[in-house]
Amino acid sequence: MDIWNKVSSWWETSSSSTKVSCIIVLPLILFYGSLTIHNFSGSDFAISHENQTGLGFSHSSMEAAEPQKPEEHNLDITRKEPEVSTSTNSSHNSHKVPETANVLKKLSNLERVEAGLTRVRAAIREAKSGNQTFEEPDYVPSGPMYRNPRAFHRSYLEMEKRFRIFIYEEGEPPVFHYTFSKGILGIEGILIHQLEISKFLTKNPEKAHVFFLPFSTYSLVQFVFVRESHAWGPMQNTARDYIDGISTKYPYWNRSLGYDHFMLACHDWAPTISNAIPKLFKNSIRVLCNANTSEGFKPSKDVSLPEIYLPKGNMDGLIGGPSPSKRSVLVFYAGGIHGYIRQVLMETWENKDPEVEIHEYLNKKKVSYYGMIRKSKYCICPSGYEVASPRMVEALYMGCVPVLIKDHYAKPFADVLNWDTFAVDIPVKEIPNLKKILLSIPQRKYLRMQKRGIQVRRHFEVNFPPKRYDVFHMILHSIWLRRLNIQVHDTQGTS
């Protein structure tokens, strides 16, 4: 009988008071061991992208392991789990309090952090079973666009209550702690700024769950890259030197081998720059617009950042559109021929069919780009030179169903959102059948998809200051999930 079968057998025969004491004490004891990173490979809290099954749990031994490469996780949120009792008669447990207190006194700061995350995983597991109800005005609506709204909501509430981020103070603007917040890559600067003043920050690194590396890839390109040199070295060296510096001054990077650190970047070159630092590329959480799985992006540990273009620096004029009955255009796209997907799209459809409005350029004096989105039922969102594009979010903002034509793209928030319910995926090889595919979608299904897109667009909105469940908080929640997916053990006596 393996260890988990033994534990399961003991659990079934134990009294409720014993179970509760174990829930409190055992996770704390299990943190003792050598310095280690523990990945929840198909375990207590793991994230799946390939199967996109969302928030999920299954059981795993808590034995210490050497630091290792994060594994892809195959989860099923519909799997039945043993219920975890969170209430009991206090008189039955009064004799256990001194023992628990003694254990808590012996914990290091890191072990206290990890003990808190263990309780979070148990709470999310209980919420997933559907035994909890929530009363709050911002409650996420249930529906097929959410993989498990109860688990998502409980995880989000736990994030709001507990999540703490430490930002290293080293580094001077504009390369560090700042970058431009306008233009097609402006979301990088907006989010860095919002992080710097966020309520989630802690000045005490001993209480942090994650550590932000505040260098901007956009600024590295603007201020370090030498034009026409085609040399990556200066940008890569700047990022490498920064990590060498903070790893010398602080113990946290070396303690976790970078697993609990994250970077944030919307520039296309971010994967290549991060590739120069092996632990950053392989271990750390990389929040990237260029979420291309063929270029090393790993959905189990990295976060897909939606590219969002705000022409006026805010959402003025971007949100909303007419009802489906007033959308006369079947499908619309306009944009430059950047990359082979757009080239195939243009060669196949430009000026070929009046119902398929595919254009390289619009006459801006006669036709409004946003006006065309609002007149269209479906909006093409193809890859350019890289997979990221603001068109996906523009479509959601204006009530047009996104049609994604992208290879190897990891969709944002796919561990929470079921994209199949409000967007259409079309393989590149099916571009010649574009019209046929869209016309084959029943009107009733189109209406449902359009409505669900309007419901989920709150998660892609940029607010000043941020609002609950908007894109800033959804990015933090995605980082939070990935932090829940590992354990960092350190019992070297520091506290």
Side-chain angles (χ1 to χ4, degrees):
M1 180 182 292
D2 62 25
I3 186 169
W4 178 248
N5 289 332
K6 292 178 182 178
V7 172
S8 297
S9 176
W10 172 86
W11 181 271
E12 292 175 359
T13 58
S14 298
S15 66
S16 61
S17 61
T18 303
K19 291 178 182 178
V20 171
S21 299
C22 181
I23 290 171
I24 297 172
V25 177
L26 185 57
L28 309 181
I29 298 173
L30 290 173
F31 283 111
Y32 285 90
S34 60
L35 182 151
T36 179
I37 306 298
H38 183 86
N39 285 283
F40 288 83
S41 177
S43 60
D44 277 338
F45 196 99
I47 301 166
S48 170
H49 175 77
E50 291 182 357
N51 294 323
Q52 294 190 342
T53 50
L55 311 180
F57 298 85
S58 62
H59 299 296
S60 168
S61 168
M62 300 287 286
E63 296 176 1
E66 291 300 318
Q68 57 183 312
K69 180 180 179 181
E71 300 177 13
E72 297 292 337
H73 305 298
N74 182 15
L75 307 175
D76 182 0
I77 62 172
T78 63
R79 184 187 299 127
K80 297 294 184 182
E81 301 291 345
E83 294 185 4
V84 180
S85 173
T86 57
S87 62
T88 187
N89 189 317
S90 59
S91 63
H92 292 169
N93 294 282
S94 59
H95 65 285
K96 293 291 184 182
V97 173
E99 181 181 348
T100 303
N102 289 335
V103 172
L104 289 172
K105 287 181 180 179
K106 296 178 181 178
L107 294 179
S108 70
N109 288 328
L110 176 60
E111 289 165 337
R112 289 188 178 94
V113 168
E114 292 295 339
L117 295 180
T118 297
R119 293 191 293 271
V120 168
R121 296 182 190 106
I124 299 173
R125 181 185 296 116
E126 185 175 15
K128 188 186 66 172
S129 68
N131 294 331
Q132 296 182 341
T133 58
F134 302 105
E135 295 182 4
E136 63 153 318
D138 293 329
Y139 175 61
V140 174
S142 60
M145 55 278 194
Y146 296 100
R147 299 191 178 280
N148 189 317
R150 288 180 180 272
F152 167 44
H153 190 230
R154 183 52 190 256
S155 175
Y156 186 93
L157 294 181
E158 293 288 347
M159 177 194 76
E160 286 188 318
K161 179 181 178 181
R162 302 175 184 273
F163 197 28
R164 294 296 176 264
I165 301 168
F166 179 78
I167 300 180
Y168 292 105
E169 295 181 354
E170 286 69 21
E172 297 294 331
V175 173
F176 302 93
H177 302 282
Y178 168 85
T179 193
F180 304 101
S181 58
K182 292 185 179 181
I184 196 169
L185 303 179
I187 190 65
E188 179 177 322
I190 290 170
L191 293 181
I192 288 176
H193 172 71
Q194 291 181 338
L195 271 171
E196 294 276 352
I197 60 174
S198 169
K199 66 180 181 181
F200 294 93
L201 294 188
T202 177
K203 295 293 185 181
N204 184 355
E206 295 293 339
K207 295 183 178 181
H209 297 98
V210 294
F211 299 78
F212 179 47
L213 302 166
F215 59 83
S216 162
T217 302
Y218 192 6
S219 289
L220 286 174
V221 174
Q222 293 296 315
F223 298 104
V224 178
F225 178 64
V226 178
R227 300 291 172 181
E228 309 302 330
S229 70
H230 306 289
W232 296 93
M235 295 181 293
Q236 294 173 326
N237 291 338
T238 301
R240 185 189 297 109
D241 290 346
Y242 185 81
I243 291 176
D244 287 345
I246 59 102
S247 66
T248 300
K249 183 175 181 180
Y250 302 94
Y252 310 108
W253 174 269
N254 292 327
R255 179 182 71 182
S256 71
L257 304 180
Y259 277 92
D260 56 358
H261 286 59
F262 75 97
M263 61 172 286
L264 185 153
C266 200
H267 199 281
D268 291 346
W269 293 358
T272 302
I273 292 174
S274 65
N275 194 27
I277 306 104
K279 288 185 177 63
L280 175 64
F281 187 84
K282 295 179 180 179
N283 300 349
S284 299
I285 302 166
R286 298 179 304 149
V287 183
L288 305 176
C289 286
N290 192 3
N292 189 331
T293 58
S294 71
E295 297 178 0
F297 184 94
K298 295 188 178 302
S300 61
K301 75 168 189 69
D302 295 326
V303 173
S304 178
L305 171 62
E307 190 171 288
I308 302 175
Y309 174 47
L310 305 178
K312 299 178 182 179
N314 54 46
M315 291 190 300
D316 290 353
L318 296 180
I319 301 296
S323 64
S325 63
K326 296 180 179 179
R327 294 176 180 266
S328 57
V329 176
L330 174 65
V331 58
F332 166 70
Y333 168 79
I337 303 178
H338 303 154
Y340 81 98
I341 291 179
R342 297 188 187 184
Q343 183 175 352
V344 173
L345 186 64
M346 290 296 168
E347 291 175 352
T348 307
W349 288 107
E350 187 175 25
N351 300 320
K352 298 290 192 344
D353 190 315
E355 291 187 276
V356 182
E357 294 274 4
I358 305 296
H359 308 279
E360 183 176 359
Y361 297 108
L362 291 175
N363 186 333
K364 295 182 180 180
K365 293 182 179 180
K366 296 181 179 180
V367 182
S368 164
Y369 175 73
Y370 289 154
M372 285 298 297
I373 294 178
R374 290 186 166 97
K375 288 174 60 178
S376 303
K377 294 181 178 180
Y378 298 95
C379 291
I380 304 294
C381 310
S383 293
Y385 292 125
E386 299 292 350
V387 294
S389 167
R391 288 172 176 80
M392 182 178 69
V393 173
E394 289 170 344
L396 291 173
Y397 279 0
M398 300 175 200
C400 189
V401 175
V403 178
L404 308 183
I405 307 179
K406 299 172 181 284
D407 286 334
H408 313 295
Y409 181 54
K411 301 179 186 72
F413 320 135
D415 32 34
V416 169
L417 299 180
N418 182 358
W419 278 81
D420 291 340
T421 65
F422 58 89
V424 179
D425 268 305
I426 294 184
V428 176
K429 66 180 181 180
E430 294 295 334
I431 288 178
N433 298 318
L434 172 65
K435 182 179 179 180
K436 180 180 179 180
I437 291 171
L438 296 180
L439 287 177
S440 70
I441 297 174
Q443 176 70 1
R444 187 175 179 181
K445 181 178 179 180
Y446 157 71
L447 293 174
R448 289 197 300 264
M449 295 176 72
Q450 198 266 352
K451 181 180 179 180
R452 291 165 184 166
I454 292 174
Q455 287 177 305
V456 302
R457 74 183 176 200
R458 66 189 293 193
H459 302 312
F460 297 86
E461 293 178 4
V462 183
N463 297 296
F464 306 93
K467 297 179 181 179
R468 302 182 74 202
Y469 299 104
D470 68 2
V471 71
F472 172 75
H473 288 92
M474 290 298 290
I475 289 297
L476 289 191
H477 182 258
S478 295
I479 297 170
W480 167 245
L481 292 187
R482 282 141 185 84
R483 179 59 179 89
L484 284 172
N485 207 30
I486 64 170
Q487 281 185 324
V488 182
H489 293 190
D490 182 8
T491 57
Q492 295 181 337
T494 57
S495 62

